[in-house]
Amino acid sequence: MNEPVLEAVGAGFAGANGRVLLRDVNLRVGPGEIVAVAAPAGEGKSLLLRVLCGLDQATEGSVRVLGRETVGMTHGAFVDLWREMGFVYQEGGLISNLTLAENVALPLGWRARRDQPGARARAEELCAELELGEHAHDRPGGMGLGVKKRAAVARALAPRPRLIFVDDPFIGSDPQGEHAIREKLRREASVRDMSVVAALSDLDPLRHPWVRLVLLLDGTVWADGPYDEVAARARQSDPRVQRFFAA
């Protein structure tokens, strides 16, 4: 069996007031896997992404990312680790005074060293693949959230990470943008063995046989498996889960 790129064992997270928000999370993600973390509102899927990628550290258990234990890791060590990862924030997190193409090229050092070989070409390539061509040289102010999310995905992919975390990648997207994101993530996983962990509010965009669904409930993993298996279990379970799948 391939070594996991991400493994959480008994991971938990408590807030500053001591309230337990995540508990006993066990999750293993292999190279090239696409894992969708879904949950009813308020169940902690975005927080789980933050804990798994190290933006927040687990307060119990173990979280190993790319072979390194992150619980207790120093900020400097995290900076080195983050260079091999990508993260897409729920609102995109673009820099407003840069064009979309400049935002995409930012992880490649283009702004710091304008002669960085290939940075501009890589940004233009990703903008085209994610249906951003007509917007590539415009600043993000006034653009819809769907466009900003596609640019944020392109930026996260620019340095060819081994692992990418995406928070609600399809929010605000039209069907064309949704398709562009889904297919680009699928190709990167298939061709480069890049692993994807995505938090979802809406199950429909990733209802595909090549996606593994992890369902959170009460701060822990309630189910983990192919969509159809998890959905079948959901129909005979907790009313909150039934409502989530019926929505």
Side-chain angles (χ1 to χ4, degrees):
M1 180 181 294
N2 288 331
E3 283 294 311
V5 296
L6 170 65
E7 186 170 29
V9 178
F13 181 83
N17 61 359
R19 182 186 173 199
V20 176
L21 302 173
L22 296 172
R23 59 182 178 82
D24 197 27
V25 171
N26 295 291
L27 180 65
R28 182 184 175 102
V29 179
E33 272 200 287
I34 298 179
V35 176
V37 178
E43 289 291 339
K45 57 186 178 298
S46 294
L47 175 61
L48 178 59
L49 254 64
R50 293 180 61 88
V51 169
L52 294 176
C53 76
L55 293 176
D56 289 306
Q57 286 200 38
T59 54
E60 64 178 32
S62 169
V63 178
R64 294 184 64 83
V65 180
L66 302 178
R68 283 160 275 186
E69 176 60 60
T70 64
V71 176
M73 182 178 277
T74 65
H75 178 73
F78 264 122
V79 169
D80 289 338
L81 182 60
W82 287 332
R83 292 192 178 103
E84 300 180 61
M85 298 159 50
F87 193 90
V88 179
Y89 296 93
Q90 195 169 87
E91 299 300 321
L94 301 179
I95 297 175
S96 60
N97 65 343
L98 301 182
T99 68
L100 295 191
E102 288 171 343
N103 268 281
V104 173
L106 202 59
L108 304 175
W110 185 73
R111 292 291 293 182
R113 294 172 292 173
R114 289 178 177 267
D115 60 344
Q116 178 84 357
R120 181 187 290 271
R122 173 69 172 158
E124 298 283 355
E125 171 194 350
L126 287 166
C127 285
E129 290 180 345
L130 285 155
E131 309 286 346
L132 292 168
E134 63 182 287
H135 304 292
H137 301 292
D138 298 327
R139 294 178 179 178
M143 292 183 183
L145 180 57
V147 174
K148 293 177 182 178
K149 290 303 283 279
R150 297 204 305 276
V153 170
R155 180 178 62 186
L157 293 174
R160 296 179 173 87
R162 295 173 58 191
L163 171 63
I164 183 173
F165 296 90
V166 192
D167 196 354
D168 253 333
F170 308 110
I171 190 170
S173 291
D174 59 18
Q176 182 180 356
E178 189 177 284
H179 176 80
I181 291 173
R182 186 176 62 241
E183 290 306 302
K184 181 57 177 172
L185 293 178
R186 185 187 64 80
R187 286 197 303 272
E188 292 288 317
S190 175
V191 173
R192 294 202 301 107
D193 266 354
M194 182 190 76
S195 303
V196 181
V197 181
L200 294 182
S201 297
D202 179 2
L203 293 170
D204 283 338
L206 281 186
R207 190 179 295 181
H208 290 274
W210 37 265
V211 173
R212 176 176 143 212
L213 179 61
V214 172
L215 189 64
L216 290 184
L217 196 65
D218 297 325
T220 195
V221 174
W222 181 86
D224 182 350
Y227 179 92
D228 289 344
E229 291 181 12
V230 175
R233 180 181 170 190
R235 285 190 283 270
Q236 305 174 23
S237 65
D238 189 296
R240 290 171 295 173
V241 180
Q242 292 177 354
R243 288 193 294 271
F244 181 60
F245 274 82

